[in-house]
Amino acid sequence: MSTVIDKAPAVAAPVRTGRHSAAAVLALARFEARELLLQIPVFVFFLLYIGHALWKLFLPGDGMDDYPALQSVDRSSQSVLPFLAVAVLMCVNVAALRSRRHGTDGHFDVLVMEPWRRTVAHALSVVPFAAVTALVVAVQFGRAALKPGAAGHGSPAELAVGPLVVLLAGVLGVLIARLCPSIVGGPLFIVVGFATFLTASVVTGEKEHWLNWLYPVVSENGADPIPSDLLGRPAAWHALYLLGLTALLLCAAALVSGGRTRLLKALTVVALGATAAGIAGQSPGHEARLTAARTQVNRTPGRFQSCVVHGRSTYCSFPEWTGWRDDWARVADRVQRLAGGGAGGERLTIRQRIPLIYDLSSDAALTPLSTPGEVTVGTRWGGSRVPEFAVGVASVLVAGDEQAVSRVCDARVITVMWLALAAQDDPAAAFRAVRLDDSTAGSALALAPTEPVPMSAEQTRIVRELLRQPRYSVTARVKAHWTELTSPKTSEARVAELLGVPGAADGARNGSGKGADEGAWCQQ
């Protein structure tokens, strides 16, 4: 009897490719994203990031937040990103090394999913965190843009920097894990990178345009807002650079992990081209041409502005700030209604101006104008900027022009400050806000759009006493004695007497036009 044994031919198990492989990569990415959220640094930093955003959204501000310039708001969303990126980089790096630390690399070799696909999955696990960053940035910018006092234009490319930096940090963490499969790789990279950043800043003095823009975040905050076309920031090219660099590092990590598909190689070439294009686009520094344009706008702002008449005065602004003219007019009219003589009906020109700056990280002062009846207003509004502008209006009404105001060092300061402060809803609070030391006693500088107004201790006392009196009674005295109150020869004691303030300074009794305290302060 013969036994027949049938042997079935060995058939290789089908390997999932294409759509099934992509689904497996996405499933692993979702798992790694959940694990990443459980990492204490990522959880804490994202919680702080979201909490900081909510705190800025709902915390009562100083009033200037009610009038945001959107071309500055989009950049301000980038300020806390480096700390978030470091946390993401460290935790993704640790997650990518988990199998090596636990000695399970050999088990992965029997799985269908290739090592390079697992590398891609680790990189994709950062996408939800980039999406959260994008949502926070959108909410911050959207809330600012919806405020009635919003001005200017935001840049989508500037807003895209946040999520792109988070993606870049995650991909970089994976690449470091593949190139240096050690737990010290991530911290070592951060230390070396930080040292390189400091060295480059010291060597170049932060003046090399092309080198500065190789950093992921170039926020450039500090200066007052300027028109969008004078920013000089290659935001779109920088966003392309970050996107291309992220894709290039992801392709490099996949190639190091054994990926050799045609699609991966093609994506590497495309990413390299995008990165090079971004670097080339953001690298050429046009500082000379940009500075020339800013200088022109600074010296001849009227050529770039439109004007409108409100009441008796004319208000000129750059195109992005036309919505603020009504607010300027309300303040100027209230100040002018308190003035006497011809000043009450004088036709003023309120002109918006920007200082001459060479970068967006530093501020500069505005020089006083010599044109009679012309008042400067800046590109920020609300809060303390309102009484500061009122000081500028009152100064021109009293002295005639802004250059004359810069030389005022006599009792006319009392009239200037009362006009400016009495026109405010809360004169006492405005008095503190407009003074450099936030006090209502002693000598100090009172801020204005151009040159500050020096106040002696006696002038401060007289103004403080005037603000305690009924406004209608002081207004009547100001109008009745306007000529004497605006004369540089009138002493502080005489001004106090005319306005009904007791305890005049000793300056009048010794025959001097100025008190001792006033003269000493003016010489400083």
Side-chain angles (χ1 to χ4, degrees), residues 105 166 341 371:
D105 277 338
V166 173
T371 307

Side-chain angles (χ1 to χ4, degrees), residues 11 79 158 185 222 230 269 275 303 318 388 485:
V11 179
S79 57
E158 297 280 14
L230 296 179
V269 174
T275 306
R303 294 178 52 190
F318 297 107
E388 289 173 18
L485 290 174

Side-chain angles (χ1 to χ4, degrees), residues 67-413:
Y67 295 84
L70 300 182
Q71 61 265 44
S72 297
V73 173
D74 55 10
R75 297 200 312 276
S76 65
S77 64
Q78 305 172 11
S79 57
V80 298
L81 290 175
F83 302 99
L84 193 62
V86 169
V88 170
L89 186 152
M90 291 290 297
C91 291
V92 172
N93 178 262
V94 170
L97 293 172
R98 186 191 307 116
S99 60
R100 183 177 183 86
R101 294 197 315 273
H102 295 169
T104 58
D105 277 338
H107 298 286
F108 285 150
D109 292 338
V110 302
L111 298 180
V112 174
M113 183 181 294
E114 301 95 321
W116 73 269
R117 294 186 189 273
R118 293 197 297 274
T119 296
V120 172
H122 276 289
L124 293 180
S125 68
V126 190
V127 171
F129 299 94
V132 171
T133 306
L135 179 62
V136 172
V137 170
V139 170
Q140 286 179 315
F141 183 81
R143 181 174 174 82
L146 292 176
K147 290 182 177 180
H153 304 286
S155 168
E158 297 280 14
L159 298 174
V161 168
L164 286 176
V165 167
V166 173
L167 278 177
L168 176 62
V171 171
L172 187 57
V174 175
L175 178 60
I176 295 172
R178 295 298 177 252
L179 293 176
C180 179
S182 172
I183 196 65
V184 301
L188 182 62
F189 176 84
I190 293 174
V191 172
V192 172
F194 184 69
T196 303
F197 170 78
L198 289 180
T199 303
S201 299
V202 171
V203 172
T204 64
E206 297 185 353
K207 295 180 181 179
E208 291 292 338
H209 183 280
W210 69 272
L211 185 59
N212 289 342
W213 283 89
L214 290 180
Y215 303 137
V217 177
V218 189
S219 55
E220 290 186 312
N221 294 318
D224 281 348
I226 61 175
S228 299
D229 54 355
L230 296 179
L231 291 175
R233 286 175 58 85
W237 289 112
H238 189 63
L240 177 62
Y241 160 68
L242 290 178
L243 181 62
L245 182 60
T246 302
L248 181 62
L249 295 182
L250 176 58
C251 292
L255 290 172
V256 171
S257 301
R260 295 294 184 270
T261 65
R262 291 183 178 179
L263 178 60
L264 182 58
K265 294 177 181 179
L267 289 176
T268 303
V269 174
V270 172
L272 181 60
T275 306
I279 293 175
Q282 70 183 13
S283 292
H286 304 292
E287 284 84 359
R289 186 170 61 186
L290 185 63
T291 300
R294 290 174 178 172
T295 303
Q296 193 174 26
V297 174
N298 169 263
R299 293 178 178 175
T300 57
R303 294 178 52 190
F304 308 92
Q305 295 176 339
S306 62
C307 300
V308 66
V309 177
H310 281 270
R312 63 177 67 86
S313 299
T314 302
Y315 297 82
C316 302
S317 68
F318 297 107
E320 293 173 297
W321 283 273
T322 55
W324 292 4
R325 291 167 173 171
D326 292 341
D327 298 280
W328 300 340
R330 279 191 289 271
V331 175
D333 289 345
R334 292 179 68 177
V335 173
Q336 202 163 10
R337 281 196 294 267
L338 300 176
E346 185 177 351
R347 295 184 179 275
L348 300 175
T349 299
I350 312 301
R351 186 170 301 283
Q352 189 177 42
R353 298 169 60 206
I354 63 170
L356 180 57
I357 58 175
Y358 298 96
D359 61 79
L360 301 179
S361 299
S362 58
D363 209 350
L366 288 165
T367 56
L369 296 171
S370 60
T371 307
E374 192 158 331
V375 183
T376 293
V377 66
T379 55
R380 297 188 70 190
W381 188 248
S384 61
R385 291 297 186 270
V386 176
E388 289 173 18
F389 171 66
V391 171
V393 174
S395 300
V396 171
L397 291 176
V398 171
D401 63 76
E402 290 183 343
Q403 280 195 355
V405 171
S406 64
R407 297 188 294 271
V408 168
C409 197
D410 49 55
R412 288 178 293 173
V413 170

Side-chain angles (χ1 to χ4, degrees), residues 50 58 82 95 148 186 214 242 265 318 334 343 387 428 476 479 487 499 510:
I50 297 173
F58 298 107
L214 290 180
L242 290 178
K265 294 177 181 179
F318 297 107
R334 292 179 68 177
K479 290 181 180 291
S487 171
L499 297 178
N510 59 29

Side-chain angles (χ1 to χ4, degrees), residues 53-69:
L54 294 176
W55 177 72
K56 290 183 64 177
L57 287 177
F58 298 107
L59 182 74
D62 57 1
M64 284 188 283
D65 291 337
D66 295 334
Y67 295 84

